[in-house]
Amino acid sequence: MKGRSVSSSETFMTHRALPGDTNAAGNVHGGVILKHIDLAGAVCAMRHARGCSVVTASIDRMEFKAPVHVGELMMLKSSVNFVGSKSMEVGVRVEAEDLFTGNIRHVASAYLTFVAMGPEKKATSIPPLIVESKTQERRLQEATLRRAARRAERQREKQTQDEMEQSSIYSPEELF
């Protein structure tokens, strides 16, 4: 399978924060920001996978840095950082622009993992990633470390759950 470059799937989306997106203080709800992050990440992932849909498997390191206010323009920039055989990590950066002053600030960031789905609604293989710059190479290395940390965390959680299920103290229903 021929690889795809990071630049071929980079995505830039915007959304103007309207009153329906905000709370009583005039700040955009975190859930609204998450919805747009997921959408921007999914579009980027689909552009990389081409020919198949993607599903969100996880959201990592969601960080809200500053509020987005009603009337501001949210700008979402997403790019593929890492590609495995059937999944990929996409980084999304959210900036808010005050349309009156032109002031732009970084308001949120997240890493999302998407799984490519074939026509049978089963995970399918995707093209490898071609990095084209030192920044993309750094992001790939950082994403590789995050992937290893996620796997180690899942193994620890599974081991803890298995141990709890084997003890008479907890029943499987009490684990969640």
Side-chain angles (χ1 to χ4, degrees):
M1 183 178 292
K2 184 179 174 189
R4 289 218 175 86
S5 66
V6 173
S7 63
S8 69
S9 61
E10 286 177 324
T11 301
F12 181 80
M13 298 174 72
T14 61
H15 173 77
R16 182 146 188 232
L18 300 174
D21 297 328
T22 62
N23 57 26
N27 299 327
V28 174
H29 288 283
V32 171
I33 296 170
L34 276 168
K35 171 186 158 186
H36 289 285
I37 286 172
D38 190 36
L39 179 60
V43 168
C44 182
M46 287 183 75
R47 291 177 85 183
H48 181 83
R50 291 285 185 206
C52 60
S53 61
V54 298
V55 295
T56 309
S58 69
I59 299 177
D60 242 16
R61 299 279 309 267
M62 181 61 234
E63 189 173 350
F64 295 102
K65 296 181 170 288
V68 177
H69 306 289
V70 68
E72 291 185 321
L73 183 67
M74 284 192 319
M75 300 175 293
L76 299 99
K77 302 171 183 178
S78 56
S79 65
V80 177
N81 294 330
F82 173 89
V83 171
S85 62
K86 297 176 182 173
S87 67
M88 66 192 100
E89 181 192 277
V90 175
V92 181
R93 176 185 172 98
V94 184
E95 296 175 340
E97 178 181 353
D98 181 319
L99 294 171
F100 292 104
T101 67
N103 183 43
I104 297 172
R105 63 194 192 290
H106 181 198
V107 296
S109 292
Y111 299 108
L112 299 90
T113 301
F114 291 93
V115 175
M117 304 299 282
E120 312 269 322
K121 303 292 184 215
K122 296 192 184 215
T124 189
S125 59
I126 51 179
L129 188 64
I130 299 170
V131 294
E132 305 162 301
S133 71
K134 289 184 188 259
T135 299
Q136 293 171 2
E137 181 62 39
R138 176 186 52 79
R139 289 178 180 164
L140 173 62
Q141 291 171 358
E142 292 169 352
T144 301
L145 294 173
R146 281 190 296 275
R147 184 177 195 229
R150 282 190 296 268
R151 283 184 166 182
E153 182 179 11
R154 281 194 304 269
Q155 287 176 336
R156 283 191 305 276
E157 288 173 352
K158 183 174 180 352
Q159 181 180 357
T160 300
Q161 290 173 359
D162 290 346
E163 289 169 1
M164 292 174 84
E165 286 177 5
Q166 291 174 4
S167 77
S168 59
I169 298 172
Y170 299 100
S171 68
E173 296 79 29
E174 294 177 283
L175 296 176
F176 298 101

